[in-house]
Amino acid sequence: MKVAVLDLGLGNLMSMKRGLERAGADVSLVNSDEGPEMGSCGTCCISGCADADAVVMPGVGSFKDGMKAISKFTATLNEIKEGKAALLGVCLGMQMLFSRSQEGGECEGLGLIKGKVVRLPMTVKVPHMGWNSISLISGNHRLTRGIKDGEYFYFVHSYYCVPEDRNTVSAEVEYGVKMPAIVEKGNVFGTQFHPEKSGPAGLAVLKNFLEEAKR
Amino acid sequence: MLTKRIIPCLDVDRGRVVKGIRFQNLRDAGDPVEQALAYERQGADEIVFLDITASSDRRDTVLDMVKRTAYELSIPFTVGGGIRGYSDVRKVLLAGADKVSLNTSAVLNPNVISEGAGIFGSQCIVIAIDAKRAGADRWEVYIYGGRKSTGIDAVEWAKQAEMMGAGEILLTSMDYDGSKDGYDISLTRRIAESVNIPVIASGGAGNAEHMRRALADGKADAVLAASIFHYGEYTVGQVKEYLLRAGIPVRI
């Protein structure tokens, strides 16, 4: 299973790479669909995701910077839109799957899942930081296979996703408001939490993603 | 429900743990990565490394430790101590740390907060405040490892740090640090109620009840402790069981 982790220039790539390796993947860090450039992590990057079975979009940083960085991956995004590879967006990476975000003024997202990204309510401390329990939504969801209701995952974010279609949500988390913790639609998946930072439970989610990417 | 975090702190000097835990099955008890992994297995929610290396070979030993830790650990970790400016912030984060904690350098040049937060996000920037009581409802900020007073009010500094983009406050009471008499509840509560970002209470933990008070009465979002874990008085798991029985939400 070959997995490409997109280097958007700001993310903590090594943890994500390691997490996926623990889940059994052969991982490359990729910083552009064009010529090879020096990655933010040093010399570890290759160019292009052409032979990858799955793509992971990690994410810390701002929505705008993330969208700007993803624009270097047109070919990869086309492969995903055509269903040739599975995509997992993590944290900001999940938010970028949606149509638009309020972060830093209105900003357009990838639109792979319909909906918007809005600021957490004023009633809670922001960022939502730490281990929170998720509630599974009943249905035939794939990333939550084998995950128990109430399992804890590590969250760090200030904005959250509001999908138009509730059927795309496979687990929710509550922090001032109920919001999606895991979304999935076809070959596109997202986790608001960091599976690579969530111990054994996070590893199980990454394994589920790799299983789905094989199909 | 969002749980309260229990964060063991490891002091590291030239890449080696000082006052480390005496676990039996460690191949190398002075190795910060092995110690961090042992805490992860105990149920720690995060790890903080405090680098106390004074010499100039500091940077290389820290970056090497960060890389090895990022490779092994599957919970978040923070690196603090001797982070001098944005260039250090960048190096430590790109080497794989989830957060950096800034103390003296942020007081001397607060712009490092907005610079780091603007590029890597607020969640990466922890502001460590060493505070000492200076009046009935006043605490003063100290820098250079508590050696130099600044005259700055701790509450005001916490608010300014939040405004400049800090994602979290790591608050150490200099009056209580090392006392084992418990955290400074009034200081912790004062800061926690003054900012809208998470506050980690530090300094003074002697037992699990002290942690409960810092979380329940001090309104802290997390507690940090070093010696009670290092000397095996409690495991992280034992602390969490105590807290859970006392009605504090923790991840078990």
Side-chain angles (χ1 to χ4, degrees), chain A residues 18 22 131-133 197, chain B residues 1 3 45-46 71-72 98:
Chain A
R18 255 317 267 170
R22 283 195 197 103
W131 297 79
N132 202 337
S133 53
K197 289 287 162 189
Chain B
M1 184 189 266
T3 54
D45 295 310
E46 287 183 35
Y71 191 82
E72 298 289 347
D98 298 284

Side-chain angles (χ1 to χ4, degrees), chain A residues 24 29 44-45 52 66 115 122 134 136 140 152 163 174 202 205 211-212:
Chain A
L29 302 178
C44 46
C45 286
M122 299 296 282
I134 64 166
L136 301 182
N140 183 26
Y152 290 103
E174 190 167 358
V205 169
E211 273 305 308
E212 284 311 309

Side-chain angles (χ1 to χ4, degrees), chain A residues 69-199:
Chain A
I70 201 76
S71 65
K72 286 196 289 184
F73 292 96
T74 318
T76 302
L77 290 173
N78 284 337
E79 297 250 311
I80 289 158
K81 282 176 190 160
E82 288 164 19
K84 288 180 185 159
L87 172 66
L88 173 66
V90 169
C91 196
L92 174 70
M94 161 163 144
Q95 297 178 357
M96 285 164 59
L97 301 174
F98 283 77
S99 318
R100 62 192 188 281
S101 173
Q102 288 178 351
E103 187 181 343
E106 272 303 288
C107 182
E108 216 162 288
L110 294 172
L112 297 170
I113 296 178
K114 279 189 183 157
K116 59 184 178 180
V117 180
V118 301
R119 176 96 179 162
L120 283 167
M122 299 296 282
T123 51
V124 288
K125 288 196 172 190
V126 176
H128 173 209
M129 183 185 282
W131 297 79
N132 202 337
S133 53
I134 64 166
S135 323
L136 301 182
I137 308 263
S138 57
N140 183 26
H141 302 303
R142 294 161 293 167
L143 281 200
T144 50
R145 220 164 264 161
I147 303 293
K148 67 173 200 283
D149 191 48
E151 185 60 86
Y152 290 103
F153 292 91
Y154 189 82
F155 290 81
V156 187
H157 61 113
S158 303
Y159 288 78
Y160 70 99
C161 302
V162 184
E164 281 177 21
D165 179 4
R166 199 177 140 77
N167 291 324
T168 55
V169 182
S170 46
E172 284 183 321
V173 62
E174 190 167 358
Y175 185 67
V177 62
K178 268 194 179 166
M179 60 194 136
I182 305 179
V183 292
E184 42 189 272
K185 186 190 172 197
N187 60 328
V188 175
F189 301 84
T191 63
Q192 183 59 71
F193 55 80
H194 285 269
E196 79 282 14
K197 289 287 162 189
S198 296

Side-chain angles (χ1 to χ4, degrees), chain A residues 9-15 18 21-22 40-41 59-62 65 119 121-134 148 151-158 173-175 194-200, chain B residues 1-5 40 44-46 69-77 90 93-99 118-124 162 166-168 191-193 195-199 219 221 249-252:
Chain A
L10 308 162
N12 184 350
L13 296 173
M14 294 318 290
S15 303
R18 255 317 267 170
E21 282 171 358
R22 283 195 197 103
S40 66
C41 46
V60 293
S62 76
D65 291 342
R119 176 96 179 162
M122 299 296 282
T123 51
V124 288
K125 288 196 172 190
V126 176
H128 173 209
M129 183 185 282
W131 297 79
N132 202 337
S133 53
I134 64 166
K148 67 173 200 283
E151 185 60 86
Y152 290 103
F153 292 91
Y154 189 82
F155 290 81
V156 187
H157 61 113
S158 303
V173 62
E174 190 167 358
Y175 185 67
H194 285 269
E196 79 282 14
K197 289 287 162 189
S198 296
Chain B
M1 184 189 266
L2 181 66
T3 54
K4 302 285 188 179
R5 287 168 284 153
E40 177 181 324
D45 295 310
E46 287 183 35
T69 306
Y71 191 82
E72 298 289 347
L73 215 61
S74 59
I75 57 171
F77 69 100
R90 184 176 176 82
L93 290 177
L94 290 180
D98 298 284
K99 311 175 192 178
I119 293 177
F120 292 98
S122 289
Q123 77 288 340
C124 297
E162 175 186 15
E168 197 165 31
I191 302 275
E193 289 181 339
V195 294
N196 198 40
I197 52 178
V199 172
K219 307 272 176 100
D221 301 279
V250 288
R251 173 183 69 110
I252 291 210

Side-chain angles (χ1 to χ4, degrees), chain B:
Chain B
M1 184 189 266
L2 181 66
T3 54
K4 302 285 188 179
R5 287 168 284 153
I6 311 302
I7 307 176
C9 175
L10 290 162
D11 286 358
V12 178
D13 187 3
R14 278 167 290 177
R16 305 288 293 170
V17 173
V18 193
K19 297 188 296 190
I21 17 172
R22 295 190 203 109
F23 287 122
Q24 278 165 359
N25 305 317
L26 298 189
R27 279 170 300 160
D28 176 0
D31 180 18
V33 182
E34 287 225 29
Q35 296 256 343
L37 277 171
Y39 280 139
E40 177 181 324
R41 286 192 291 268
Q42 284 188 3
D45 295 310
E46 287 183 35
I47 305 288
V48 168
F49 293 100
L50 181 63
D51 182 34
I52 58 170
T53 312
S55 59
S56 54
D57 56 346
R58 198 193 82 76
R59 180 172 291 168
D60 292 342
T61 59
V62 169
L63 291 181
D64 174 63
M65 179 191 78
V66 171
K67 280 180 194 156
R68 289 193 303 122
T69 306
Y71 191 82
E72 298 289 347
L73 215 61
S74 59
I75 57 171
F77 69 100
T78 302
V79 176
I83 308 251
R84 288 194 191 90
Y86 174 71
S87 146
D88 286 350
V89 169
R90 184 176 176 82
K91 281 188 182 124
V92 169
L93 290 177
L94 290 180
D98 298 284
K99 311 175 192 178
V100 290
S101 119
L102 300 166
N103 191 332
T104 305
S105 60
V107 172
L108 297 179
N109 173 25
N111 288 329
V112 71
I113 304 174
S114 40
E115 208 174 345
I119 293 177
F120 292 98
S122 289
Q123 77 288 340
C124 297
I125 309 295
V126 181
I127 294 303
I129 301 178
D130 291 342
K132 191 171 183 177
R133 189 178 278 276
D137 185 39
R138 188 184 145 78
W139 292 265
E140 198 181 324
V141 175
Y142 278 66
I143 55 175
Y144 293 112
R147 289 191 299 276
K148 190 172 184 299
S149 66
T150 62
I152 298 170
D153 180 78
V155 175
E156 290 309 313
W157 172 229
K159 286 184 188 168
Q160 189 192 345
E162 175 186 15
M163 202 179 65
M164 297 197 72
E168 197 165 31
I169 304 280
L170 168 52
L171 177 66
T172 301
S173 158
M174 290 175 56
D175 303 298
Y176 286 66
D177 198 21
S179 72
K180 300 203 135 205
D181 287 339
Y183 298 87
D184 186 337
I185 302 299
S186 46
L187 167 67
T188 305
R189 184 167 182 151
R190 188 78 170 78
I191 302 275
E193 289 181 339
S194 302
V195 294
N196 198 40
I197 52 178
V199 172
I200 306 168
S202 159
N207 58 46
E209 173 60 14
H210 292 153
M211 295 182 160
R212 187 196 67 76
R213 280 185 216 152
L215 296 166
D217 306 335
K219 307 272 176 100
D221 301 279
V223 283
L224 180 136
S227 55
I228 74 164
F229 295 134
H230 293 335
Y231 297 122
E233 292 160 38
Y234 288 88
T235 64
V236 177
Q238 284 165 342
V239 164
K240 286 185 155 187
E241 276 163 28
Y242 177 88
L243 293 172
L244 196 65
R245 279 200 303 273
I248 305 281
V250 288
R251 173 183 69 110
I252 291 210

